[in-house]
Amino acid sequence: MIEPVSDQAGSLPRALRLLRLLGSGDPQGQRLAELADAAALPRPTVHRILRLLVAEGFVEHDATRRRYRLGLSFFLLAARSGQAVGLRDIARPALLRLTAALGETVFLLVRNGFDAVCIDRSAGPLPILTFTGDIGGRVPLGVGQGSSAILAFMPPAEQDEVIRHNLPRIEEFGGLDEGGLRAELASVRRQGYCAAFGILPGMAGLGVPVLDADGRAAAALSIGTTTDRMGEERRATVAAALIKEADAIGARLNPFDPALRRAGAAMEAAPGR
């Protein structure tokens, strides 16, 4: 049944009110009753508007947890506002500077579900072995330095969920057990970087988080190198260089960048890829 024009016009401010509530509320989403109470609207009205927003992709509905949150279409639209610069564009000069200064291969990683995905890299002169490999490679969160840097700076509840899901995968890679992993993550948070020696024989690396305005790891910068090139003195030099660049990138992050929500979107938008 088609609603009267006056009701349709009235639905627009109500929909905008719900979008604002979703944007300012719990990032994990909100229940229908919570939204209705906060918006001072009847639940059937809120449910109808939310169904329309879900159909258009502006809201996502987690049927299992019965929660609503902002959808990908909303973020894609916001990302285009003012032709905002994306993560890869911001980080690319930093990757090139780090490779030139350190002589190492540098990776840019983002979270995608329970994995970290490489969305860009700058190749150094030395041949190295990594789990992520080239652009598009992925690794479970908690395997590798950049991946662990992201996991260490996730909110506690999300971190626990990832650990529960990924622990069997991490152990398959020859990684740490749960106690060792949590101790390593706590160490990463204290020192601001992960420099544990890699699982691959003869390989080492160092990863730092790229933090957003809320102190969450939106991405990570990491290098891959050989164990003989990662002594204590050089580790401090590498860490300082990566942290400096990561801080500069974090200060310019566009919170609506689709790369921070869907790694595939960043790869599809990558020029020449």
Side-chain angles (χ1 to χ4, degrees):
M1 179 178 178
I2 299 177
E3 297 180 71
V5 173
S6 60
D7 189 46
Q8 289 181 352
S11 293
L12 178 58
R14 294 172 183 174
L16 294 175
R17 193 186 316 170
L18 292 174
L19 289 173
R20 290 192 181 97
L21 287 171
L22 288 169
S24 61
D26 187 342
Q28 300 303 308
Q30 299 177 65
R31 293 180 180 272
L32 173 64
E34 296 171 340
L35 289 167
D37 290 344
L41 292 171
R43 294 187 189 183
T45 299
V46 173
H47 186 244
R48 174 177 55 81
I49 295 173
L50 288 173
R51 281 193 295 120
L52 293 172
L53 292 172
V54 169
E56 294 295 332
F58 289 101
V59 170
E60 294 176 355
H61 181 219
D62 185 339
T64 302
R65 302 174 65 189
R66 297 182 180 181
R67 290 180 177 270
Y68 294 87
R69 62 189 177 199
L70 293 179
L72 182 58
S73 292
F74 182 88
F75 285 85
L76 290 173
L77 184 63
R80 295 187 179 99
S81 176
Q83 297 181 341
V85 177
L87 172 62
R88 291 189 76 256
D89 298 318
I90 295 171
R92 185 63 183 171
L95 267 62
L96 296 176
R97 284 193 296 269
L98 288 167
T99 293
L102 302 173
E104 307 287 3
T105 297
V106 186
F107 301 88
L108 175 65
L109 305 173
V110 296
R111 179 189 176 188
N112 186 246
F114 294 99
D115 295 337
V117 180
C118 175
I119 63 169
D120 203 359
R121 80 167 193 163
S122 174
L126 299 176
I128 59 168
L129 297 174
T130 68
F131 285 119
T132 52
D134 209 339
I135 296 172
R138 64 177 58 228
V139 67
L141 287 166
V143 174
Q145 292 82 10
S147 168
S148 297
I150 293 175
L151 181 57
F153 283 85
M154 288 171 57
E158 289 185 36
Q159 185 185 93
D160 288 342
E161 182 180 4
V162 170
I163 291 174
R164 283 195 299 269
H165 183 276
N166 276 2
L167 196 59
R169 306 169 71 200
I170 293 170
E171 292 175 344
E172 285 180 6
F173 274 89
L176 300 168
D177 60 17
E178 182 173 359
L181 176 61
R182 290 187 181 277
E184 176 62 28
L185 295 177
S187 175
V188 172
R189 286 190 70 91
R190 286 194 301 272
Q191 61 190 9
Y193 64 88
C194 178
F197 280 95
I199 300 171
L200 295 171
M203 296 292 109
L206 190 145
V208 305
V210 176
L211 303 179
D212 64 15
D214 296 321
R216 298 163 55 109
L221 293 176
S222 69
I223 69 159
T225 188
T226 56
T227 54
D228 61 305
R229 290 173 58 83
M230 194 54 77
E232 183 175 348
E233 182 176 345
R234 188 159 194 269
R235 182 166 62 244
T237 299
V238 171
L242 265 66
I243 290 172
K244 179 180 178 180
E245 294 287 4
D247 287 346
I249 293 169
R252 297 182 59 197
L253 283 179
N254 168 20
F256 299 113
D257 184 352
L260 304 182
R261 288 174 57 84
R262 297 290 190 275
M267 290 183 286
E268 290 170 4
R273 299 295 179 189

